[in-house]
Amino acid sequence: MFWISTDIPNVGCSGTHFSDGMMWDVFKLTQLTSLYFLWRHLFNSGPFFYLLPECPEEAPGFLLECDSSTLDALQKHLALYKIRRKVMVEPHPELHVWAVLPSTPQAPEAVPLQERVGATAILTRDPRTSHMGWRLLTQDHGPALVPGGQLGDLQDYHTHRYQQGIPEGVHDLPPGLALPLESNLAFMNGVSFTKGCYIGQELTARTHHMGVIRKRLFPVRLKGCLPTSGIGLGTLVLTTTGQVAGKFRAGQGDVGLALLRSDTIKGPLHIRISENHQVAVTASVPDWWPIATK
């Protein structure tokens, strides 16, 4: 977690993703062991960032969460753009980020919580989709701050977000491979089409306004005997005729994400594990996506 402060007035306060795990009667709380960020274009090879709620006027700066494996690289990258501006970038590893999910994901709006920004905690709706609940940033123990909260399991959190088609971090969005529109970041408030300029903006804006995105990252369910090591990044997903429909990206257990051609997702798909063994792949379209994409 970075705190970025500046002498420029009216800078918003951005929080970010959540790590580790918790579950409750009303909520499922998950604190991730490593930090993630939903991307907005900054690195030329991958990461994007998203902003969260505004900070008090006396705190001209914002918080930025990142995948813990990119911590050093991100700090160096931000320093490149600092130039001579009076901007300070410093890590804050003492801050913990928690995912707060309702115990019944089918009713994401029925969570009686209020957004708040305080001296010791920030609670805000997950800006990606209401199906991802809330996010809590604090130095304290997360469950103690949410009435009725119970500690959940980190694996449950990942399973939930894969079912919702939500990618996180460099594992799901590998630098140099993941494109913002193919990764559905425009659906998750992760891409701005009114601001500029950033690396790749022209291609991203042109593709968006043309409305032709042939491949997308879809949530998938696997059926069959899976290898103990799981399905590897980039494993081909095939149609019944053996044509390539796309590639498996990441997953956990029998759920995951795959980058697939949109015109193939309604037909039977599979991953070939060996000459005599294949795993069935069923892709779905999340109900929170815009209707025009379904």
Side-chain angles (χ1 to χ4, degrees):
M1 181 70 65
F2 288 103
W3 172 254
I4 303 178
S5 60
T6 172
D7 59 356
I8 302 174
N10 301 322
V11 176
C13 178
S14 307
T16 122
H17 278 261
F18 296 40
S19 328
D20 286 346
M22 314 185 292
M23 192 176 288
W24 322 348
D25 293 338
V26 181
F27 309 103
K28 187 178 351 180
L29 229 76
T30 304
Q31 181 191 3
L32 305 179
T33 53
S34 60
L35 298 179
Y36 301 100
F37 49 76
L38 175 69
W39 322 73
R40 200 182 76 184
H41 236 309
L42 178 66
F43 282 106
N44 115 14
S45 59
F48 314 106
F49 297 86
Y50 63 81
L51 303 178
L52 285 185
E54 293 186 356
C55 289
E57 293 182 0
E58 64 271 21
F62 55 90
L63 291 165
L64 175 67
E65 183 187 353
C66 72
D67 189 315
S68 59
S69 66
T70 69
L71 191 66
D72 293 336
L74 175 58
Q75 192 165 9
K76 292 178 181 178
H77 191 83
L78 291 173
L80 290 177
Y81 291 90
K82 177 181 175 182
I83 312 179
R84 296 181 180 178
R85 294 182 178 89
K86 295 180 180 180
V87 175
M88 179 179 63
V89 180
E90 56 183 2
H92 278 267
E94 77 280 3
L95 297 177
H96 306 291
V97 190
W98 301 78
V100 184
L101 298 175
S103 58
T104 54
Q106 295 79 8
E109 298 294 344
V111 182
L113 290 176
Q114 296 292 325
E115 289 191 355
R116 72 172 185 266
V117 178
T120 60
I122 296 175
L123 178 65
T124 184
R125 292 182 183 274
D126 192 309
R128 297 170 293 181
T129 167
S130 61
H131 289 265
M132 292 304 295
W134 295 70
R135 293 137 97 190
L136 176 65
L137 174 64
T138 180
Q139 297 184 41
D140 302 321
H141 188 54
L145 300 176
V146 181
Q150 294 182 347
L151 185 63
D153 186 84
L154 177 60
Q155 304 309 314
D156 290 340
Y157 169 76
H158 290 309
T159 296
H160 174 73
R161 68 176 183 82
Y162 281 136
Q163 290 172 337
Q164 299 299 325
I166 302 292
E168 281 188 356
V170 295
H171 183 65
D172 296 350
L173 299 168
L177 293 178
L179 297 178
L181 298 188
E182 290 184 349
S183 302
N184 305 312
L185 300 187
F187 299 164
M188 297 182 276
N189 296 309
V191 181
S192 173
F193 298 103
T194 59
K195 296 180 180 178
C197 178
Y198 53 81
I199 297 174
Q201 178 192 20
E202 291 185 6
L203 175 60
T204 301
R206 183 168 65 248
T207 303
H208 170 72
H209 291 297
M210 289 179 63
V212 180
I213 303 172
R214 294 184 173 84
K215 295 185 294 182
R216 287 192 181 277
L217 208 56
F218 288 94
V220 295
R221 184 170 293 276
L222 309 176
K223 186 176 181 180
C225 186
L226 300 174
T228 55
S229 58
I231 307 295
L233 169 67
T235 300
L236 295 180
V237 179
L238 307 173
T239 65
T240 52
T241 60
Q243 294 181 320
V244 176
K247 296 181 179 180
F248 186 79
R249 176 62 60 78
Q252 176 177 278
D254 63 350
V255 295
L257 301 170
L259 184 66
L260 303 171
R261 296 202 330 262
S262 298
D263 60 353
T264 65
I265 66 167
K266 294 184 179 180
L269 301 172
H270 69 274
I271 290 175
R272 185 170 298 163
I273 304 300
S274 64
E275 284 294 328
N276 302 315
H277 178 210
Q278 65 184 35
V279 172
V281 177
T282 303
S284 61
V285 178
D287 58 10
W288 58 270
W289 281 14
I291 295 177
T293 62
K294 300 179 181 180

